Amino acid sequence: MIGIVAVSHSARLGEAALELALQMVQGAGVRVQVAAGAGVDGDGRPILGTDAVAVAAAIDELAADCDGVLVLMDLGSAVLSAELALELRASDVPVRLVPAPFVEGLLAAVVSAAAGGGLDAVAAEATAALGAKTGQLGVPDDAAPSSDAESTDGSAAGGGGPVGEEIVRRVRVRNPLGIHARPAALIAEASAGADVRLRRLPDGPDAPAASLSRLLILGARQGDELELVARGPEADAVLDKLSALFDDGFGEGTDDAAPTAAAAGSESTGPRPDVPPTVIASGAVLKGRGVSPGRVAAPLVHLAPAVGEPEAGAVVASADRDAEVSAIEWAAVAVADQLRARTSQATGETRAILDASRLLASDPELVSEATALVRSKGRSAARAIWETAAAHEKAVAALGGRMAERVADIRDVRDRIIAEILQVDMPGVPEREEPFVLVATDLAPADTAALAGGHCVALVTEQGGPTSHTAIIARSLGLPAVVGATGAVGIPVGSTLLVDGGRGTVEVDPPASRVADAQAAATVVEFDGSGRLADGHRVALLANVGGAPDAVNAAAARAEGIGLFRTEFCFLDRTEAPTVEEQTTAYRGVLAAFPDRKVVVRTLDAGSDKPLPFANSDDEDNPALGVRGLRIARRRPELLADQLRALALAATAEPAEVEVMAPMVATVDEAREFADLARAAGISSVGIMIETPSAALLAAELFEVVDFVSLGTNDLAQYTLAADRLLSDLGDLNDPWQPAVLRLIGMVGAAGRAAGKPVGVCGEAGGDPALAPVLVGLGATSLSMTPRSLGRVAEALRDVTEDECRHAAEVVLQAATAEEARAVGAAALQRAAAR
Ligand code: PEP
Ligand code: MG
């Protein structure tokens, strides 16, 4: 890092120039010393002048942790003092005095230093800093650097120099003032990690992104289109950051009429074959993978990004500290108010959590410690809250046990207050009063869990596969969802999206008539509460749930019982294992919704796509093949023992017919040990999930040790096709219609019929109306699904007899491809329905 000394006759001028410069980089850890003025007179008035000793001291101060020091001077004797300081200083760090304009030079030098520029590069930037002004005023400027002048020491931003192929994108300047100093500084900062150049189209000048002065010379104004060319290992990520900055108008607001970067024909000619050129403008249609059916139209809302750690190096000037203090006070009050309002609408556990957070937000110590940091050390409001919260976290974490879990609450409140101070959305799912479509790169389990009961009406993500947790929760909440919609995060705020979760399409700003059609078509087929075939053969239609609220919904949708209770969804955020009492309460909430009905409880399926902090280690290279599901009991037998105990207690307390099954079983020994443990805990009906090819192949032997099995077709497809279920690119492989998966299901069904034991299907395949009759033909005795699908699956079954289902199963088993299986299955069932 290069340090900077600003030598001025006026202390006020020095401080003000520094304040201006640091705003460009939000501090960014840049080391700047101001050596200005010659003290104060007897009346306390500042004396104009410069002091060589003070300049030397400033250089020595920086020398301790800088690789070089650049000295900028305002005029006249400042230069003499700086020269003399070189004689007086004690350190031997390289020092460069530059003939740069004081204010512009300081800004340019600070930005260049923040981007990691070496002494030559920072000096060149400062010296050329008048270029923007002279260019703008039409005065020829000899000092403006040539396009190759930057980074003469090879250490400018991007460190490591250009490697790899060029990636090109186009962006449009959307903020009203164009590329002035602040946006230029943001561009320079964001370009660190790659060698990026910007060119104003069609034939304007070009500039390296790391050079503030050259960026200003671009003269880019609102509406101008720029080409970004990047090289280097992080080129793609850096271009993503830069595109986001342009799209956002650098936080200065945008002219919404101006199309976004993507709308302007964002283009990647570099090595991203998976990302086709994206054109997202009104009327555009993105194609992804529909994972939860339904059509709905609503305004788009982006998932708010995480609150980053506020800059540590910035020092707030004394005169501005009052404003920072009141920002903290106001933000804390506002957050406490928001939480109070939400608490009053919440119930049960959510209410307790919100109330605890509200108390934290109004904690006088948090506010007073943070404000003390502002006053004594000049921390920014956001930084002061960050540091204070960190100290509280540490103290609470040291207490251990349940208290340590409060760390998450402290962070939540910290992020809320900082978001309020910075006037940005709270990270995660935004709180809105109107219906909206949530758009994100991907969603974390906790994000998706936060959707319940809110105003989100559909989900669109760029990543994720058909059986990812995002897809599963979308289905359980009945939200239409499209995953793998590349380019979705580039759709501008303010657009209306029409999401078709069946076809996998996302239309941007569709015509009003199509919005009206979508609203009319958003109907759910009612289920009458009894699944049966045309000949009266019963096929129980059950629900998949993740907790008590889901179970209540499932009961309202007239599910015949629960075929899969994913217990891990009750504890997604826990850093410590829930106690037996807590578990008992959570399980009773689900059982209570289905008195005298079957409830199949799955023991914790933690890991891979559903990691639980208290159960999984995060150092596995390959978590989908790692210690997940039942395998966790190898390391943590007490977790399984506690869960079985809690289940047995819940089963005794509620009248539901409780069955228990283990996920991710591969061998007969695993199944036997699990069955022994569950029976010893007092649960009489014990099963396993068939999710691995091994378990499917061993189905006959497994039926000798368990009472039932349930086909987890999501994982069965993943492991059979060796295709990560979270990857949207592999969605075609994660398909239960794949012949290999169908044949394994057929083997399990045949083993079940031979043993006279139940074979359920609880993977997403069970809720597919086209596949349901085939599954019954293959031997499924019950199907479990999101409650929303019950009506349509029931309709599909009502059309066909058991013989017709078996015939459809026979023909699909002959198919060589998924496409063929779908076609012959559909033809067989259509003939049957038309009989
Ligand atoms: C499955 O794998 O099909 C299943 C139902 O379990 P999960 O989706 O929770 O892994
Ligand atoms: Mg599974």
Side-chain angles (χ1 to χ4, degrees), residues 602 605 628 689 691 715 725:
R602 175 174 76 183
D605 185 22
R628 59 164 296 204
M689 292 188 73
E691 302 187 284
D715 277 320
R725 64 191 261 187

Side-chain angles (χ1 to χ4, degrees), residues 586-636:
Y587 305 153
R588 284 189 63 179
V590 171
L591 303 187
F594 283 87
D596 303 320
R597 297 299 185 104
K598 172 154 107 164
V599 176
V600 183
V601 184
R602 175 174 76 183
T603 53
L604 289 179
D605 185 22
S608 189
D609 58 310
K610 300 178 287 284
L612 288 186
F614 64 85
N616 300 109
S617 72
D618 48 14
D619 54 7
E620 288 184 341
D621 285 342
N622 213 338
L625 302 182
V627 183
R628 59 164 296 204
L630 179 62
R631 298 170 181 187
I632 291 170
R634 295 166 183 239
R635 282 195 191 147
R636 306 277 308 274

Side-chain angles (χ1 to χ4, degrees), residues 451-533:
L451 293 169
H455 287 87
C456 176
V457 292
L459 297 177
V460 176
T461 60
E462 289 209 350
Q463 294 173 4
T467 53
S468 61
H469 52 254
T470 300
I472 290 166
I473 294 188
R475 281 188 288 261
S476 89
L477 294 174
L479 298 178
V482 175
V483 301
T486 304
V489 294
I491 304 173
V493 174
S495 309
T496 292
L497 302 186
L498 194 164
V499 180
D500 187 329
R503 291 172 51 223
T505 53
V506 180
E507 289 179 51
V508 183
D509 290 327
S513 59
R514 291 189 50 71
V515 174
D517 287 351
Q519 276 154 357
T523 52
V524 175
V525 175
E526 297 260 325
F527 176 46
D528 67 4
S530 171
R532 61 183 69 246
L533 302 180

Side-chain angles (χ1 to χ4, degrees), residues 467 472 564 566 568 602 605 609-610 628 663-664 689-691 711-716 718-719 725 762-763:
T467 53
I472 290 166
L564 171 62
R566 291 181 164 104
E568 63 280 358
R602 175 174 76 183
D605 185 22
D609 58 310
K610 300 178 287 284
R628 59 164 296 204
M664 195 64 187
M689 292 188 73
I690 303 274
E691 302 187 284
L711 281 148
T713 49
N714 308 336
D715 277 320
L716 187 59
Q718 155 165 269
Y719 294 122
R725 64 191 261 187
C762 65

Side-chain angles (χ1 to χ4, degrees), residues 698-776:
L698 292 169
E701 288 78 1
L702 288 165
F703 273 117
E704 289 173 18
V705 296
V706 295
D707 304 309
F708 67 93
V709 302
S710 185
L711 281 148
T713 49
N714 308 336
D715 277 320
L716 187 59
Q718 155 165 269
Y719 294 122
T720 303
L721 278 295
D724 187 337
R725 64 191 261 187
L726 297 180
L727 290 183
S728 52
D729 292 349
L730 303 183
D732 58 319
L733 300 181
N734 272 300
D735 181 350
W737 286 95
Q738 284 288 351
V741 180
L742 291 171
R743 291 180 199 183
L744 288 173
I745 295 173
M747 290 180 68
V748 176
R753 281 178 180 144
K757 291 190 176 179
V759 174
V761 176
C762 65
E764 299 307 306
D768 177 351
L771 188 51
V774 173
L775 294 172
V776 172

Side-chain angles (χ1 to χ4, degrees), residues 92-126:
D92 57 4
V93 66
V95 178
R96 184 85 51 87
L97 310 189
V98 282
F102 186 68
V103 176
E104 289 91 342
L106 186 58
L107 262 62
V110 161
V111 171
S112 178
L119 192 52
D120 287 343
V122 177
E125 271 298 294

